[in-house]
Amino acid sequence: NDTFFNNSSNNNNNRQSSNSTSNNDVTAYHLPKGWYPQEDILLRIPLSIQMTRVTALTTLQAVVPEDVLSRAPLEELDDAFLLALQLAHEHGRGRESRWHPYIANFPSGSQCGYAPNIRASAMEMISSLGAAYGLDVNGWPAELQKSYNYAEQISSTLAQNYGSYILVANG
């Protein structure tokens, strides 16, 4: 079935209003050909080949010395940070990593607005959006800067605690 419903009054070319007996504007969405509803399972990845908290802990505990693990326990890290450390380590392993084919398909360079090489264009985009849509974006650059500072603090702490033990790719 390629139709699902949403309570909204926004207009969209792919929407078609349906009759409703309530005051809510119920809209039926008809997905373009080749698109799938969010609920559809398109791909099943066996758990045995997924990067998970367990694989990250297993991999990292094997390379980080016990004294470091006692003062900076990996188990206390959020899943996202553990997976980032594992990805960095597996990237550094290169072709020896079982995840090399997956990692080799990542974009080169940072795509994040926090990255120093992209931050200037992100700030310009924010200004352009403000001008084009009449948005009040005066506080956005400061919020982006705060987010960058927080991300930098986290990555610096991770690098300080674990960086010496994680393989790093050349270049």
Side-chain angles (χ1 to χ4, degrees):
N1 187 352
D2 68 348
T3 304
F4 61 98
F5 296 91
N6 185 22
N7 290 332
S8 174
S9 60
N10 295 333
N11 291 327
N12 184 310
N13 292 338
N14 293 326
R15 297 179 188 177
Q16 182 178 44
S17 291
S18 63
N19 293 332
S20 174
T21 58
S22 71
N23 290 338
N24 292 338
D25 180 13
V26 178
T27 305
Y29 291 72
H30 298 282
L31 296 174
K33 184 177 171 95
W35 288 34
Y36 299 93
Q38 183 176 338
E39 306 79 35
D40 283 5
I41 297 172
L42 302 180
L43 187 62
R44 290 186 190 271
I45 309 291
L47 188 59
S48 63
I49 63 168
Q50 292 180 32
M51 279 188 181
T52 64
R53 179 177 185 81
V54 172
T55 63
L57 285 170
T58 301
T59 299
L60 298 169
Q61 287 171 337
V63 297
V64 177
E66 281 295 322
D67 65 313
V68 174
L69 294 173
S70 66
R71 69 176 162 74
L74 289 165
E75 295 85 359
E76 293 180 7
L77 293 177
D78 181 82
D79 291 356
F81 300 137
L82 278 173
L83 293 173
L85 288 170
Q86 183 183 13
L87 274 172
H89 181 71
E90 296 297 341
H91 184 257
R93 293 184 64 208
R95 293 186 184 278
E96 293 181 24
S97 170
R98 72 182 267 198
W99 284 286
H100 175 71
Y102 168 64
I103 294 170
N105 284 292
F106 286 1
S108 60
S110 180
Q111 304 295 313
C112 177
Y114 303 152
N117 61 325
I118 295 182
R119 198 168 337 131
S121 61
M123 298 291 192
E124 288 176 25
M125 181 59 70
I126 289 170
S127 296
S128 297
L129 286 170
Y133 296 103
L135 300 173
D136 178 9
V137 296
N138 291 329
W140 292 17
E143 291 301 315
L144 183 61
Q145 185 63 45
K146 282 195 271 186
S147 297
Y148 165 76
N149 291 343
Y150 186 61
E152 185 63 29
Q153 180 183 4
I154 291 169
S155 63
S156 294
T157 301
L158 291 173
Q160 180 182 355
N161 288 334
Y162 310 108
S164 300
Y165 314 104
I166 293 175
L167 293 176
V168 178
N170 293 333

